[in-house]
Amino acid sequence: MEANTRSTGRLPAAFLTPGSSSFMDFLAEHSPELLPGRRTLPPVQGAVEVPHGTTIVAASFPGGVVLAGDRRATMGNMIAQRDIEKVFPADEYSAVGIAGTAGLAVEMVRLFQLELEHFEKVEGTQLSLEGKANRLSTMIRGNLGMAMQGLAVVPLFAGWDVDREKGRIFSYDVTGGRSEEHGYAATGSGSLFARGSMKKLYREDLPERQAVTLVVQALYDAADDDSATGGPDVARRIYPIVTVITEDGYRRLTETEASDVSRSVLERRLDQPDGPRAELL
């Protein structure tokens, strides 16, 4: 939707009329063609090669939740990008990690961020974590048409529940089906291997530092068996993006912090090349 740029400097009436607290509802009413799910795609023959993001993992601990992602994007059997970012803050107390068609996923995340900001400005309060998870489910369902053409987006959503005072994790399928995961979760091409790693190492009483080590270890294990997942790349100084959400809000580990955790995992693997025992640093 374009604003009125004439000399009066006034915005169109749609911007000045009270309406829904949902930004997606606003677009659906006034400019539906801007919604990703409303776009008409040309017919295609065969698979379309576009960059795909791969593995996202999450784990809860008594004080919050950790959400992390590897940095590799693939296009068929080729590495499309080695340092893509797949984990983003949704708002102050939540984050979303993307797996699937990279371009559509990033666009969906930006729309989701705007949706939460719009609701907060209109209502004067934040959505509950449950409400945020439901809004994201609706957005994924709106992308079903493109998912059926192979352009799927399957995110992992995590955050601090202010009402329940604990970290929570939500996973999705391509139809927008939402499930709450307890303890840990993974999505993307390497999720099977990441889940196996976390199943062996996870404990409910993990402190934050060990929860961070857990998700990095899981990404390393996924990269060991899944070519589409990129492990810590010391030579290029490319490390997983790791975020922590607690009652203090969203925080992304600095490059130095991510490097230290990744190096500790790599050093331990040099000592135990067949994999770690069921314990964490």
Side-chain angles (χ1 to χ4, degrees):
M1 178 182 297
E2 296 182 358
N4 186 349
T5 57
R6 295 181 180 178
S7 58
T8 60
R10 294 181 60 82
L11 291 171
F15 289 89
L16 305 174
T17 304
S20 170
S21 59
S22 170
F23 185 73
M24 290 189 296
D25 289 348
F26 173 78
L27 279 183
E29 182 178 354
H30 299 287
S31 292
E33 72 281 358
L34 296 180
L35 289 171
R38 299 292 186 91
R39 294 172 186 160
T40 302
L41 296 180
V44 295
Q45 295 181 350
V48 179
E49 293 291 348
V50 294
H52 279 73
T54 47
T55 309
I56 303 294
V57 295
S60 60
F61 61 95
V65 63
V66 180
L67 182 66
D70 78 305
R71 306 293 298 276
R72 178 174 292 178
T74 58
M75 191 161 57
N77 66 329
M78 304 292 290
I79 297 176
Q81 188 174 345
R82 299 182 188 274
D83 61 350
I84 188 174
E85 297 199 5
K86 307 176 188 177
V87 181
F88 305 89
D91 65 0
E92 183 181 0
Y93 289 104
S94 62
V96 58
I98 56 172
T101 308
L104 291 178
V106 171
E107 183 180 32
M108 184 178 292
V109 168
R110 290 173 178 168
L111 184 58
F112 183 52
Q113 293 169 331
L114 190 56
E115 172 79 358
L116 299 185
E117 183 180 353
H118 180 81
F119 179 92
E120 185 174 352
K121 287 181 177 180
V122 172
E123 298 293 337
T125 185
Q126 287 188 345
L127 264 174
S128 66
L129 192 67
E130 195 90 21
K132 297 171 191 176
N134 289 336
R135 291 289 176 97
L136 184 56
S137 179
T138 301
M139 295 179 66
I140 297 169
R141 190 175 302 114
N143 189 60
L144 183 58
M146 285 189 278
M148 298 299 289
Q149 297 193 41
L151 303 175
V153 177
V154 187
L156 199 60
F157 177 66
W160 175 259
D161 192 319
V162 177
D163 299 322
R164 299 190 185 184
E165 297 185 343
K166 67 175 185 178
R168 300 173 68 188
I169 304 167
F170 298 90
S171 64
Y172 301 85
D173 59 35
V174 293
T175 66
R178 193 206 75 179
S179 301
E180 182 170 0
E181 306 287 348
H182 299 282
Y184 57 89
T187 190
S189 63
S191 60
L192 177 64
F193 310 109
R195 277 180 174 272
S197 176
M198 291 189 288
K199 182 178 182 179
K200 178 173 58 177
L201 300 172
Y202 179 77
R203 302 192 316 269
E204 291 185 355
D205 61 347
L206 286 177
E208 179 183 321
R209 169 71 183 190
Q210 291 189 7
V212 169
T213 303
L214 170 72
V215 297
V216 175
Q217 177 71 66
L219 289 173
Y220 183 99
D221 287 340
D224 203 31
D225 289 296
D226 175 41
S227 62
T229 304
D233 191 336
V234 177
R236 296 184 177 87
R237 298 180 182 178
I238 300 173
Y239 305 102
I241 294 176
V242 183
T243 62
V244 180
I245 308 109
T246 65
E247 62 179 352
D248 296 324
Y250 169 95
R251 180 176 73 89
R252 172 173 166 171
L253 266 63
T254 65
E255 185 174 346
T256 300
E257 290 174 315
S259 170
D260 290 343
V261 176
S262 298
R263 287 176 182 274
S264 71
V265 170
L266 292 171
E267 288 171 2
R268 190 161 191 179
R269 270 308 179 90
L270 291 176
D271 296 332
Q272 302 177 32
D274 293 329
R277 301 179 181 91
E279 58 185 14
L280 289 167
L281 296 177

